[in-house]
Amino acid sequence: MRRIAPVAVVALILATAACSGGDDQGGATSGGNTPGVTDTEILIGTHMPLTGPAAAGYSKIAPASKAYFDYVNANGGVNGRKINYKVMDDTYNPATTQQVVRELVLQDKVFAIFNGLGTATHTGVLDFLKTNRVPDLFVSSGSHSWDQPQKYPGTFGFNPDYTVEGKILGTYVKTTWAGKKTCFLGQDDDFGRDSLLGFEKGLGAPVAAKQTYVTSNPNVGPQIGAFKAAGCEVIMLGTIPGFTALSLGTAAKIGYKPQFVVSNVGADPTTLTRSLGASAPALLEGVVADGYLPLSNDDSNPWIQLFKKVNAEHNGNAEFDNLIVYGMSGAYLLVQALQAAGKDLTREGIIEAVQKNGFTGGPGLSPLRFSKDDHSGYGGMRLTKITGGKAEYFGPTYETDEKDGPVNEYTTPPATPPANGIPATS
């Protein structure tokens, strides 16, 4: 991994067709009524780390989403319109995020921002998107910042809240490794802070030691060394994939073998294996994490069968992993929302459609919590363990809140995809 260097904004236009209609700035409009919408097209934008410290794994998300949009477009689109998806590289740098999002909104005139990735990066554009009345749909992060419907009525989450996830993982650690000295390493932003908050709620006590990292410094030697010196036996990692790999590798180098428990956002085995190389099987064995979507290695799952088909037909048959599943699952939800908003597509209409929820037919294992008063995303997780280089689910799915509510089992079985793999028009 390299330190972030100053870069020019890199634009990756992932579109099925060139912008049509529009104004003198090239943005697609619907007779001047709804930015980004014409009779034949819906222009959607996003910011993603295509390069930089979070690109490992995360750079696969947007192409996967685009592949699903292409699949929908090839089958008639949404209410006769094709989805045109424009992705801008923000290098996981909040200053660059603000620059590229301004370009998407003011120059390209996108209808909505979809799945913008990162806690610190996306937090910096919330006020701008609100001021410009741009729907901010299904943010790719579990920060509670997206669940502020009174302050940001157009912003909605996707991932389970990091505090929800932390509570579930903390509860498991308390039950499974009672009495073990438990510690925490997290990113130095709301991602890490929210994860720690939930983890300590689940544990019912403060962690024995805690450390943070910054993404511009790819070295966690001091942090892992401090954990070893403190006698930490269980370590939760609130880390992106590159820093998960760094933590596991650093521990191995100093002969330190704690039990690692890892946030879902940093636990994809394929991504970690690519970073860790030949040592990956030994380093990953027994790592506990969690998830809320089907696992990429479950070939019997109908959602995985659908997404593998889409991946082969529209994504160059890229190496299939959980981040591709993530990108396609988010895209499926956006198509559901667009369908629910109806043929007369407006920004106000899609916000209203998401608040009504009813998105029960998607691939998630836990419920979506959207309502007028709740803009968070999925409400629960199921635990995983890596064995033989592959993650496998075990136990029930759990749901909880980000406050002091109990961690309960969620018993509703997952849905299966429609026969054609596309949500039905409402």
Side-chain angles (χ1 to χ4, degrees), residues 90 92-99 120-122 124-125:
D90 67 1
Y92 207 58
N93 181 333
T96 307
T97 305
Q98 294 183 42
Q99 184 177 351
T121 50
H122 198 77
V125 298

Side-chain angles (χ1 to χ4, degrees), residues 5 8 115 180 188 194 214 240 257 272 281 304 415:
N115 211 212
K180 298 286 187 181
D188 189 20
D194 290 353
V214 293
I240 60 176
K257 298 181 179 180
L272 296 175
I304 298 304

Side-chain angles (χ1 to χ4, degrees), residues 34-35 109-112 132-135 345-351:
T34 301
K109 309 288 187 184
V110 296
F111 169 68
N132 286 274
R133 300 180 181 274
V134 180
L345 183 60
T346 65
R347 286 172 164 175
E348 295 79 8
I350 199 165
I351 291 171

Side-chain angles (χ1 to χ4, degrees), residues 181 183 208-209 224-233 256:
K181 183 171 283 190
C183 303
I224 300 300
F227 287 148
K228 183 179 181 181
C232 299
E233 298 167 281
Y256 179 38

Side-chain angles (χ1 to χ4, degrees), residues 244-300:
T244 302
L246 280 171
S247 299
L248 298 178
T250 300
K253 286 180 181 178
I254 62 174
Y256 179 38
K257 298 181 179 180
Q259 171 65 54
F260 283 103
V261 177
V262 185
S263 169
N264 170 264
V265 301
D268 175 58
T270 302
T271 303
L272 296 175
T273 297
R274 195 180 304 117
S275 297
L276 293 169
S279 61
L283 296 182
L284 293 174
E285 188 70 18
V287 167
V288 171
D290 53 15
Y292 54 99
L293 299 170
L295 293 176
S296 61
N297 55 29
D298 185 3
D299 289 335
S300 66

